[in-house]
Amino acid sequence: RGVDYIIERAVIEAVELLELATELDENASPQELIPFIKRLLGPAQWQRFKDASRDEHGRVPQSALGELFDAASESAGKSAGSP
């Protein structure tokens, strides 16, 4: 959706994020994704995601959450070899 996010290495390396990640599988529901994405982004970027994803009725569609998760997963895969 044209918005960039900065994910701190310390957040990615935190045990709390790992705990949330172990509860996800490839068919994770939006309810399972929300705590993970919120922890990953932090409060300010989570709000920015929601504001940028609102439809014409002011609602954030569940599909936006899936798109964000897919983009984050793809980006993490590309940067896995980065220091």
Side-chain angles (χ1 to χ4, degrees), residues 3 5 12-13 17 21 26-30 32 36 39 43 48 50 62 66:
V3 179
Y5 301 97
I12 293 172
E13 294 174 350
L17 189 68
E26 84 178 38
N27 297 316
S29 71
E32 294 168 316
F36 179 82
R39 172 86 56 166
R48 199 169 95 204
K50 292 191 302 181
Q62 290 183 20

Side-chain angles (χ1 to χ4, degrees), residues 6-80:
I6 297 172
I7 310 301
E8 297 177 21
R9 180 174 292 281
V11 172
I12 293 172
E13 294 174 350
V15 169
E16 293 84 0
L17 189 68
L18 183 60
E19 287 175 325
L20 291 171
T22 59
E23 297 172 11
L24 301 176
D25 64 22
E26 84 178 38
N27 297 316
S29 71
Q31 293 87 348
E32 294 168 316
L33 290 177
I34 289 173
F36 179 82
I37 297 292
K38 284 176 76 172
R39 172 86 56 166
L40 187 66
L41 294 179
Q45 292 190 113
W46 173 248
Q47 187 61 49
R48 199 169 95 204
F49 157 71
K50 292 191 302 181
D51 290 342
S53 301
R54 295 191 191 285
D55 64 16
E56 64 275 4
H57 303 289
R59 298 181 188 105
V60 179
Q62 290 183 20
S63 60
L65 186 63
E67 291 169 11
L68 177 63
F69 184 78
D70 291 345
S73 297
E74 181 180 321
S75 179
K78 289 179 182 176
S79 65

